[in-house]
Amino acid sequence: MTEVDFFATVSATVGEYIALDSVLVQLAGLLLLAVAAHIALGIIVRRLHHLALSSAQAWDDVLISAMETPVRVVLWFAVINLAMQLYPATDGLQAQLAQAYDTALVMVLTWFLLRLIGGVEAELLNEGRAQGASRDRAAVHASAKLARTTVWIIAGLMVLQTVGVSISGLLAFGGIGGIAVG
């Protein structure tokens, strides 16, 4: 018995008991589980933040801060995806919703990586950093911009791939262009 079948059986039983439509009970149950998971995730992230602050390393703070909000957004995207599996729409709409879901996940991953790059840049430029550490502000800013640009280009290619555009020709053209310029 899959999770969806179990959820449907439980919701039908509860729906009969309280005289509500099983679809409404399933949606309410899914929403309650999502809110509980959101609260639990908040508690876990807060504890991780507390542990990271008490450690001597600054990089764990950067990682926890970068993932804090995107992880919660991914949770809600997963809930929406589960709701789409419970209540399938027409085939054309279902395919478009699946593409939108994939695109949204790519954008959330991009958001996380950009937050991580910003946190690393801020930590490297932090005045309270170790005294012996070299701080070439221009090199740090240039490296961060290059990393951001790379993330955006890769995210764009991933989005194109999720909406059905074949990127193999684009990548081959870029490779040939690189050889010609070089």
Side-chain angles (χ1 to χ4, degrees):
M1 179 179 268
T2 66
E3 295 88 11
V4 174
D5 294 338
F6 175 75
F7 196 62
T9 304
V10 169
S11 66
T13 304
V14 170
E16 290 173 10
Y17 180 71
I18 59 175
L20 286 176
D21 186 23
S22 67
V23 171
L24 183 63
V25 173
Q26 286 178 347
L27 283 175
L30 183 61
L31 184 63
L32 283 174
L33 286 173
V35 168
H38 184 85
I39 291 170
L41 192 58
I43 291 169
I44 291 169
V45 168
R46 220 174 299 120
R47 286 189 180 173
L48 283 174
H49 229 359
H50 180 69
L51 287 172
L53 287 174
S54 65
S55 73
Q57 296 294 325
W59 301 111
D60 51 3
D61 301 338
V62 171
L63 181 65
I64 301 287
S65 295
M67 74 170 211
E68 187 172 10
T69 308
V71 165
R72 289 182 180 192
V73 172
V74 167
L75 168 72
W76 286 103
F77 280 147
V79 168
I80 291 169
N81 190 33
L82 183 59
M84 287 184 344
Q85 289 178 2
L86 288 173
Y87 313 105
T90 60
D91 290 336
L93 180 62
Q94 189 73 18
Q96 289 177 346
L97 288 174
Q99 283 181 345
Y101 175 74
D102 292 342
T103 303
L105 285 180
V106 168
M107 295 313 294
V108 169
L109 176 64
T110 302
W111 182 29
F112 163 71
L113 291 173
L114 292 174
R115 287 174 56 109
L116 185 63
I117 291 167
V120 167
E121 180 182 16
E123 182 58 36
L124 287 173
L125 295 175
N126 187 6
E127 294 297 327
R129 219 159 163 257
Q131 297 299 332
S134 171
R135 256 179 271 160
D136 185 4
R137 298 180 75 75
V140 171
H141 285 305
S143 297
K145 283 182 183 181
L146 180 64
R148 283 187 194 100
T149 303
T150 303
V151 166
W152 277 116
I153 289 171
I154 291 172
L157 291 173
M158 289 173 68
V159 167
L160 285 174
Q161 188 73 32
T162 61
V163 296
V165 176
S166 177
I167 62 169
S168 59
L170 182 64
L171 293 176
F173 177 72
I176 292 171
I179 291 172
V181 171

